[in-house]
């Protein structure tokens, strides 16, 4: 997806994922980070989206900084009080290090060029404190083949928007 697609997507993102269990996911992430780190205060989130996970982590007492490709999504995160910068996971500059870096909702799976993936991992390494943790999720190919994605239709509305989302997977 290019920046233009992300701009359009940001208008529908929160509505599309309003039934997502952000609280449950955030509790799980927090516990995993706490169990693997002796110090957990500063978190960098790559692919912050509209800042829902970041906001929940902030409410748990963490300082969260975000990097988000979509200017519109970054603005929504900022409106939640999240320090969020518009940028690419593989190419950003900050002036501090973090106890943990997280990248959720399969953001890493969207990096399809090897050089960008390597740059992303190098960036993460450079911004982690010694002993820091990088927690991310990806699509796991054997599970995808086992579960065989199905065509899905999702219809949602909120009074202002009405969306029909058709997902037709193609295995290559």
């Amino acid at each position: 997806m290019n920046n233009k697609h992300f701009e359009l997507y940001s208008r529908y993102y929160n509505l599309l994922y309003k039934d997502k269990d952000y609280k449950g996911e955030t509790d799980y992430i927090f516990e995993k980070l706490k169990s693997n780190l002796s110090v957990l205060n500063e978190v960098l989130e790559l692919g912050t989206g509209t800042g829902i996970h970041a906001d929940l982590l902030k409410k748990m007492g963490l300082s969260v900084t975000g990097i988000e490709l979509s200017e519109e999504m970054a603005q929504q995160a900022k409106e939640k009080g999240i320090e969020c910068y518009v940028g690419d996971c593989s190419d950003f500059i900050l002036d501090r290090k973090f106890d943990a870096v997280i990248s959720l909702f399969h953001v890493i799976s969207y990096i399809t060029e090897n050089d960008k993936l390597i740059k992303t991992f190098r960036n993460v390494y450079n911004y982690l404190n010694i002993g820091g943790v990088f927690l991310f999720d990806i699509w796991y190919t054997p599970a995808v083949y086992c579960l065989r994605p199905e065509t899905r239709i999702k219809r949602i509305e909120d009074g202002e928007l009405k969306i029909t989302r058709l997902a037709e997977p193609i295995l290559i």
Side-chain angles (χ1 to χ4, degrees):
M1 251 191 245
N2 62 31
N3 260 355
K4 184 115 175 129
H5 290 111
F6 276 115
E7 289 172 23
L8 295 171
Y9 188 49
S10 68
R11 294 179 54 203
Y12 312 109
Y13 182 87
N14 288 334
L15 183 57
L16 282 169
Y17 298 107
K18 71 178 185 174
D19 55 351
K20 184 172 174 59
D21 185 9
Y22 284 100
K23 175 77 170 99
E25 289 177 4
T26 304
D27 288 345
Y28 177 81
I29 291 158
F30 184 79
E31 288 307 314
K32 288 298 175 192
L33 292 175
K34 287 295 275 186
S35 68
N36 286 283
L37 291 165
S38 57
V39 174
L40 178 60
N41 297 310
E42 300 273 340
V43 175
L44 174 63
E45 182 178 22
L46 304 180
T48 306
T50 60
I52 298 172
H53 286 114
D55 186 48
L56 290 167
L57 288 169
K58 187 177 83 167
K59 289 174 180 170
M60 294 174 159
L62 300 179
S63 174
V64 183
T65 301
I67 301 292
E68 172 53 49
L69 191 58
S70 164
E71 195 170 322
E72 288 74 14
M73 287 184 166
Q75 182 57 43
Q76 289 182 44
K78 289 176 186 177
E79 289 168 6
K80 293 177 177 74
I82 305 302
E83 180 183 2
C84 190
Y85 300 94
V86 176
D88 186 304
C89 299
S90 67
D91 185 28
F92 63 89
I93 298 172
L94 297 173
D95 61 356
R96 65 186 183 283
K97 293 193 175 220
F98 299 86
D99 304 314
V101 176
I102 62 174
S103 188
L104 310 171
F105 218 172
H106 312 292
V107 167
I108 298 299
S109 296
Y110 288 100
I111 303 171
T112 58
E113 299 167 22
N114 286 337
D115 62 323
K116 285 188 86 165
L117 187 61
I118 290 167
K119 287 172 86 177
T120 299
F121 282 112
R122 282 190 181 137
N123 257 355
V124 168
Y125 176 80
N126 290 332
Y127 286 104
L128 274 174
N129 289 325
I130 293 172
V133 170
F134 181 28
L135 187 148
F136 63 97
D137 60 356
I138 58 169
W139 295 309
Y140 182 58
T141 304
V144 172
Y145 285 130
C146 179
L147 297 174
R148 306 303 289 184
E150 301 172 345
T151 298
R152 292 177 292 158
I153 298 173
K154 183 174 186 176
R155 292 183 175 90
I156 46 177
E157 58 184 281
D158 68 356
E160 188 176 313
L161 291 173
K162 185 175 183 179
I163 299 171
T164 300
R165 177 181 179 177
L166 171 63
E168 292 181 302
I170 299 170
L171 292 176
I172 299 172

